[in-house]
Amino acid sequence: MTTESHKPDEYKRKAAEAAVAEIESGMLVGLGTGSTAAFAIAALGRRMAQGLRVTTVGTSRATETAARAAGIAMLDFADVAKTDLVIDGADEIDAAFRAIKGGGGAMLREKIVATSATRMICIVDPSKSVATLGATRPLPIEVLPFARAYVSDAIRALGGDPVLRRSADGAVVFSDQANLLLDCRFGPITDPAALALELTAVPGMLGHGLFLTEIDVVLVGNDDGVERIDR
């Protein structure tokens, strides 16, 4: 019997398997980063073992390692301009298909791969659905180390509270590009588009976790199966 503590993982697994079921042979697929994407990698590995033929790109080194271990063919995204489909999770998502991503520290790579895609499927459990972005989670921002203090000051001027991401043992966390990560509390973000524009204008801010236009389909795992929501 599934316990309450295990339900979020079960919901993620259901959503991930539903997303992977939409992959067709010959596709070039982008694979996201994090716990939800890990279920998609496992499901895709099983489908490939049964004969599905696709190539993929990863949004992080961790994803690339996990995909290869699952027998999934990987390409270097540096050689790829377009992808057919991207499957990834989200930290928060609202009814307008706007999301906060980057809890796994890969939002810059995730944003690039998502923007390259013809279609993006976001896979979540019900806890990730929110009325307003920023209500429960900080907004991750990737920063050039040289510009840490400058960007932090600019974020404060925009109403945010930036905190340098550290591991459980206190070590500074770096992205795969050797950049710093700031987790920024803005409170409820009532105008995500305006905030995204303001952040993008800050020199040294390399990427933020606001995904406002990239997501085409949301798959929500729940007790009854999977709810599909199309843009």
Side-chain angles (χ1 to χ4, degrees):
M1 182 175 178
T2 302
T3 65
E4 288 297 326
S5 63
H6 292 158
K7 276 192 172 183
D9 281 348
E10 179 65 13
Y11 297 153
K12 292 175 185 178
R13 182 191 61 77
K14 289 179 180 179
E17 290 179 352
V20 168
E22 298 196 21
I23 298 174
E24 300 175 0
S25 284
M27 279 187 168
L28 175 52
V29 180
L31 299 174
T33 295
S35 60
T36 306
F39 287 104
I41 292 169
L44 179 56
R46 291 192 294 270
R47 283 202 65 194
M48 293 189 71
Q50 295 167 358
L52 181 70
R53 292 293 175 259
V54 298
T55 50
T56 68
V57 293
T59 54
S60 66
R61 292 173 186 162
T63 292
E64 291 169 356
T65 298
R68 290 192 176 101
I72 298 170
M74 299 291 298
L75 298 177
D76 184 348
F77 186 77
D79 299 320
V80 173
K82 300 288 184 182
T83 56
D84 297 303
L85 177 68
V86 168
I87 299 173
D88 206 349
D91 301 323
E92 289 184 342
I93 188 163
D94 69 12
F97 294 80
R98 301 176 298 192
I100 285 179
K101 292 176 48 55
M107 62 281 184
L108 178 55
R109 288 193 181 195
E110 288 175 336
K111 180 72 68 69
I112 294 168
V113 175
T115 305
S116 79
T118 300
R119 194 163 61 107
M120 180 179 181
I121 299 176
C122 184
I123 49 178
V124 295
D125 67 81
S127 71
K128 304 303 173 60
S129 296
V130 297
T132 306
L133 296 180
T136 64
R137 298 294 296 266
L139 175 65
I141 292 176
E142 186 163 338
V143 179
L144 188 72
F146 174 80
R148 175 183 54 79
Y150 173 78
V151 173
S152 295
D153 189 61
I155 290 168
R156 293 187 191 98
L158 294 173
D161 178 20
V163 175
L164 184 63
R165 187 177 298 187
R166 296 179 181 273
S167 62
D169 62 4
V172 174
V173 174
F174 291 89
S175 71
D176 284 350
Q177 293 74 241
N179 295 314
L180 298 173
L181 300 168
L182 298 177
D183 291 311
C184 307
R185 293 275 182 186
F186 284 92
I189 302 171
T190 57
D191 193 343
L195 179 59
L197 284 174
E198 291 172 324
L199 290 171
T200 301
V202 177
M205 195 291 303
L206 301 177
H208 58 74
L210 287 170
F211 282 59
L212 306 183
T213 62
E214 293 82 5
I215 297 169
D216 300 291
V217 179
V218 180
L219 298 178
V220 186
N222 55 43
D223 286 331
D224 298 323
V226 178
E227 179 186 9
R228 179 190 181 94
I229 310 167
D230 291 276
R231 182 184 286 276

